[in-house]
Amino acid sequence: MKKSILSLASAMLFVFSTNAQKVEFEEYDLDNGLHVILHQDNSAPVIITSVMYGVGGKDGDRSRTGFAHFFEHLLFEGTENIGKGEWFKIVSSNGGRNNANTSQDRTYYYEIFPSNKLELGLWMESERLLHPIIKQEGVDTQNEVVKEEKRERTRAYSGILDAISENLFKVHPYKDPNVGYMKDLDAATLEEFLAFNKKYYVPNNATLVVAGDIDFAATKKMIKDYFGPIPKGAEVVRTFPKEEPITEEFRATAYDDNIQIPAVIAAYRTPSFKTRDSKILDMISTYLSGGKSSVLYKKMVDTKKMSLAVQAVNISQQDYGIYALFSLPLGDVTLDALIKEMDEEILKIQTDLISENDFQKIQNQFENNYVNSNSNVVGIAGSLASYNVMYGDTNLINSEIEIYRSVTREEIREVAKKYLNTNQRLILEYLPKKK
């Protein structure tokens, strides 16, 4: 009976996600190269105006790291027509909210407004692009803001990704933290900030997404009026150095003032999120640690009681990814003992096909994630921007799930054998700070 109910639920989820979840959108380019994506959803009187720029922590001179994250803050300073400190006041006083975030690969700004404030949202984002005020006073102010933000990042284990990246990458700019080094920002001149803005914050390096309760014709006219006059910038050309393959296991140690229990991480360099293999690595992560019924959790936390926490994660990026196995010991268990237990499960995936039951469970989880990611207009807007800027294919919002559906158990085994070998990794011991 249980099996029948599960089968019925899976079938219903499949039908819902294949039929009801297609995201309709229209996309086009302005003459200045700005890519525009429109998505209409009249179910609520809400709109999202968002711009994603193809600039992130990896961009810029390596002696001036962290510029993209710095600009995430700096471009809220004000414009020729928006006074210093007024940006957030304008948004909130008009019933809206806004935010921004920066990764190694891109920067994303967005506003959520009542639909009758669409023109305001478009005007503000066009102001950010056309009329930013970048002066020494604003640079100094935001430098202090970034320093304070960095001081506040004292959560336990929050430095693990930076420690992995610093050791796993030797020449690619992913080796440097997304937020950069404060010494680089302190040493930067106003002319360098102006040059960075001129190079990356141009319409031909940006995608505008407008989603929600919109009328297409009226929205297109406003977009043309506000964004059309913005001059096109020079083409952004990137020539990042390539990493040599890892052929021998190597070890490193990092320290964290804010932890009492050590952690151990096995990290592997993996391919771009554009590849099919990266998506299969996502599925392997779900199999290993996607919930309390997952392989590693049941084994190391529930049954053997060796670990306080265990996780497998595919941190996928545009140029290279990081596949990381992470665990915290319980009691006197050694870090090497945790690695041994995780290695045993990787070897099983490399040797035998995972069970049909486990495979179906993974598929169901990905179907559910797909449905949830497209369940509201804010998520849809972010996905449309990401698929266009990062992947170069906006329709992946609809078609990516088909890639996951087409993966076989044999492919899972082969991808594990290709990327998750002991001679291809970093073992990082992440320890409480030395006394």
Side-chain angles (χ1 to χ4, degrees):
M1 182 62 180
K2 285 184 178 179
K3 186 175 181 181
S4 299
I5 291 172
L6 284 172
S7 299
L8 178 59
S10 299
M12 289 177 66
L13 180 60
F14 182 83
V15 170
F16 179 62
S17 57
T18 51
N19 297 328
Q21 288 296 301
K22 183 176 182 183
V23 176
E24 302 290 347
F25 61 89
E26 182 178 335
E27 58 184 334
Y28 62 97
D29 290 328
L30 296 185
D31 291 342
N32 58 14
L34 178 72
H35 193 73
V36 179
I37 305 172
L38 305 179
H39 167 70
Q40 186 181 62
D41 181 349
N42 303 124
S43 61
V46 175
I47 57 97
I48 291 87
T49 53
S50 66
V51 179
M52 185 172 286
Y53 295 90
V55 58
K58 69 183 180 184
D59 290 300
D61 191 324
R62 288 301 91 188
S63 67
R64 293 293 183 265
T65 60
F67 266 36
H69 174 256
F70 190 83
F71 265 81
E72 176 197 319
H73 293 267
L74 186 61
L75 293 183
F76 282 108
E77 267 290 300
T79 74
E80 291 179 13
N81 298 299
I82 299 174
K84 180 179 174 66
E86 292 297 310
W87 189 284
F88 295 98
K89 294 179 183 177
I90 293 172
V91 172
S92 61
S93 65
N94 283 275
R97 55 189 176 93
N98 67 297
N99 213 332
N101 55 72
T102 307
S103 75
Q104 287 281 17
D105 299 310
R106 90 295 177 275
T107 303
Y108 186 53
Y109 297 92
Y110 65 91
E111 297 79 32
I112 305 168
F113 277 120
S115 53
N116 62 352
K117 300 297 181 180
L118 170 60
E119 188 168 6
L120 174 64
L122 292 172
W123 172 71
M124 293 183 79
E125 284 301 338
S126 69
E127 275 289 299
R128 195 198 307 273
L129 191 52
L130 183 59
H131 296 133
I133 292 180
I134 301 173
K135 294 183 177 179
Q136 192 63 50
E137 178 188 4
V139 168
D140 293 342
T141 299
Q142 294 308 320
N143 207 2
E144 289 306 312
V145 170
V146 170
K147 285 179 180 177
E148 183 60 28
E149 181 184 276
K150 196 162 188 175
R151 282 191 288 268
E152 290 176 355
R153 289 186 177 184
T154 56
R155 298 187 316 276
Y157 308 100
S158 61
I160 284 181
L161 180 57
D162 287 347
I164 294 171
S165 299
E166 179 184 0
N167 288 282
L168 201 61
F169 298 103
K170 306 302 181 184
V171 294
H172 190 280
Y174 285 160
K175 66 186 174 59
D176 300 316
N178 184 38
V179 298
Y181 301 104
M182 289 313 306
K183 63 179 178 61
D184 294 345
L185 295 174
D186 287 340
T189 65
L190 180 60
E191 288 70 27
E192 288 173 315
F193 286 112
L194 290 167
F196 193 84
N197 182 74
K198 182 178 180 181
K199 180 174 183 178
Y200 293 106
Y201 298 88
V202 292
N204 45 302
N205 193 43
T207 289
L208 168 70
V209 177
V210 184
D213 186 22
I214 61 172
D215 173 82
F216 275 21
T219 302
K220 287 180 180 180
K221 182 180 186 308
M222 282 186 268
I223 290 170
K224 184 176 181 180
D225 290 344
Y226 286 112
F227 290 89
I230 301 173
K232 184 175 185 176
E235 181 184 358
V236 176
V237 179
R238 295 177 174 87
T239 53
F240 296 131
K242 305 292 185 183
E243 293 285 347
E244 291 295 325
I246 298 169
T247 56
E248 290 184 15
E249 179 183 283
F250 65 104
R251 289 181 172 251
T253 306
Y255 297 92
D256 188 332
D257 291 349
N258 304 297
I259 67 172
Q260 294 180 326
I261 300 171
V264 66
I265 302 98
Y268 308 77
R269 196 188 304 140
T270 52
S272 164
F273 52 44
K274 294 182 181 182
T275 64
R276 182 180 180 89
D277 284 355
S278 179
K279 293 173 175 55
I280 296 171
L281 288 165
D282 287 339
M283 300 180 83
I284 294 173
S285 296
T286 299
Y287 170 74
L288 288 172
S289 69
K292 292 187 177 181
S293 64
S294 61
V295 170
L296 288 178
Y297 189 93
K298 283 196 300 184
K299 174 186 180 182
M300 296 174 67
V301 178
D302 275 354
T303 304
K304 293 194 172 184
K305 301 191 183 323
M306 298 176 64
S307 179
L308 288 168
V310 62
Q311 188 174 9
V313 58
N314 185 35
I315 307 165
S316 203
Q317 302 173 121
Q318 194 171 37
D319 300 332
Y320 295 98
I322 297 168
Y323 195 90
L325 297 162
F326 163 92
S327 189
L328 300 176
L330 180 61
D332 295 328
V333 174
T334 66
L335 299 184
D336 282 343
L338 296 177
I339 290 291
K340 180 176 179 293
E341 295 294 333
M342 293 189 287
D343 280 351
E344 284 180 1
E345 298 310 314
I346 295 294
L347 184 59
K348 288 177 185 177
I349 301 172
Q350 293 173 327
T351 306
D352 303 316
L353 297 180
I354 66 172
S355 72
E356 282 283 4
N357 185 58
D358 285 331
F359 182 63
Q360 187 59 54
K361 188 169 73 171
I362 297 170
Q363 292 283 5
N364 291 345
Q365 286 179 273
F366 276 85
E367 294 283 351
N368 189 53
N369 293 342
Y370 169 67
V371 171
N372 289 337
S373 66
N374 292 344
S375 63
N376 63 72
V377 73
V378 177
I380 287 172
S383 293
L384 287 168
S386 293
Y387 284 125
N388 179 261
V389 174
M390 295 288 91
Y391 294 80
D393 182 1
T394 312
N395 195 52
L396 277 172
I397 196 170
N398 294 312
S399 62
E400 186 180 48
I401 188 61
E402 298 297 340
I403 301 173
Y404 288 109
R405 288 174 182 152
S406 68
V407 170
T408 65
R409 292 188 297 155
E410 287 77 10
E411 282 183 290
I412 288 174
R413 182 179 60 191
E414 293 310 307
V415 165
K417 287 166 65 175
K418 185 174 181 180
Y419 298 105
L420 304 182
N421 298 301
T422 57
N423 67 321
Q424 296 172 298
R425 70 183 181 186
L426 156 72
I427 299 294
L428 176 68
E429 294 189 357
Y430 193 80
L431 308 175
K433 189 171 183 180
K434 292 179 180 177
K435 294 182 181 180

